[in-house]
């Protein structure tokens, strides 16, 4: 039986085993998927041991995405531009391919599951950290009319726009200087992780705007509540979580699983936990 796992620190909270087990059952794939804990400086030793025992692939979560980037023998373009790896896949020649499936997971959730358009739309991305860097290339491949990056520290947003200028037309600013009237807003900022929202003007929300928060929970996030009050359609990042897992599963197995049933299962589980 082929072995896979997710590695992180902490790792108890990960829903990846449930997701990939469900994918395997649905697609009739014979595999087992575990959680791996590693000390903060122990990624290489844990990965060496895992793959030397015959494992086929590894998902990587915090704080090891940069370690995995260095560990891979070769990188996909989206991993290289992201500067981080969240999926390692054993190749037939014994080498390890490093990929970043976060961006494709986000795009798939927005376009295929939610039915929102990216192509030709005015797109605002909030935040200039690893979450944004990991998703910019797939978002630009969707050909938005414009893509603006806004961050509390404007210089970081400007640097990111410069780094990706070869892939499309980008602009950038601080949070207080965002132009008005966007069609789609994606919150990739660290504010969401601490239960807050980016302090931005209501004018950024255009008519018919859609607002997506990369974090998720049983209840709408502060950013979602703010955007909804301004008339925007909103969604959280649970679909991105399942979508990036589906992309990793496809990389490993060559089979693309259905996202919707697993997403519904996780959504129900989150609601049940919140009611306990």
């Amino acid at each position: 039986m082929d072995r896979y796992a997710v590695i992180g620190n902490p790792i108890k909270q990960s829903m990846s085993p449930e997701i990939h087990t469900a994918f395997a059952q649905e697609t009739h794939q014979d595999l087992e998927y575990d959680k791996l804990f590693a000390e903060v400086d122990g990624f290489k030793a844990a990965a060496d041991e895992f793959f030397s025992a015959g494992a086929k692939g590894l998902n990587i979560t915090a704080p090891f995405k940069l370690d995995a980037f260095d560990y891979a023998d070769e990188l996909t373009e989206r991993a290289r531009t992201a500067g981080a790896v969240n999926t390692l896949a054993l190749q037939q020649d014994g080498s390890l391919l490093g990929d970043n499936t976060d961006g494709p997971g986000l795009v798939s959730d927005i376009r295929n599951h939610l039915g929102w358009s990216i192509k030709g739309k005015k797109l605002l991305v909030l935040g200039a950290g690893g979450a944004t860097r990991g998703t910019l290339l797939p978002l630009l491949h969707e050909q938005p009319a414009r893509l603006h990056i806004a961050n509390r520290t404007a210089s970081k947003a400007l640097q990111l726009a410069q780094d990706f200028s070869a892939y499309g037309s980008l602009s950038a600013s601080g949070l207080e200087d965002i132009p008005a009237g966007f069609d789609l807003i994606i919150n990739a900022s660290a504010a969401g992780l601490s239960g807050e929202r980016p302090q931005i003007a209501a004018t950024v929300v255009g008519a018919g705007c859609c607002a997506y928060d990369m974090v998720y929970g049983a209840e709408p996030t502060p950013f979602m509540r703010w955007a909804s009050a301004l008339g925007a359609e909103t969604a959280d990042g649970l679909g991105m979580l399942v979508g990036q897992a589906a992309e990793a599963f496809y990389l490993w197995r060559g089979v693309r699983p259905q996202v919707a049933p697993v997403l519904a299962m996780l959504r129900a589980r989150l609601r049940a936990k919140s009611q306990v």
Side-chain angles (χ1 to χ4, degrees), residues 160-242:
L160 206 49
Q162 184 177 328
D163 290 347
F164 281 81
S165 60
Y167 298 97
S169 178
L170 298 96
S171 54
S173 71
L175 296 181
E176 66 283 351
D177 297 316
I178 305 173
F182 285 90
D183 303 310
L184 174 61
I185 304 172
I186 298 172
N187 181 27
S189 70
L193 298 174
S194 55
E196 300 173 2
R197 69 167 180 85
Q199 297 302 306
I200 55 176
T203 53
V204 305
V205 178
C209 182
C210 297
Y212 190 99
D213 200 334
M214 284 192 187
V215 301
Y216 59 86
E219 301 294 333
T221 67
F223 171 74
M224 290 168 64
R225 293 197 299 270
W226 172 83
S228 181
L230 294 169
E233 185 178 350
T234 64
D236 71 9
L238 189 63
M240 177 181 173
L241 173 72
V242 182

Side-chain angles (χ1 to χ4, degrees), residues 19-20 23 78 86 101-110 113 212 237-250 256-260 262-263 266:
I19 295 171
H20 284 280
F23 286 163
R78 60 198 187 195
N86 77 341
T101 65
D102 286 334
L106 171 67
V107 168
S108 173
D109 191 36
I110 289 174
H113 179 249
Y212 190 99
L238 189 63
M240 177 181 173
L241 173 72
V242 182
Q244 63 82 24
E247 195 72 24
F249 192 89
Y250 177 73
R256 197 171 287 282
Q258 294 295 312
V259 167
V262 179
L263 181 54
L266 295 182

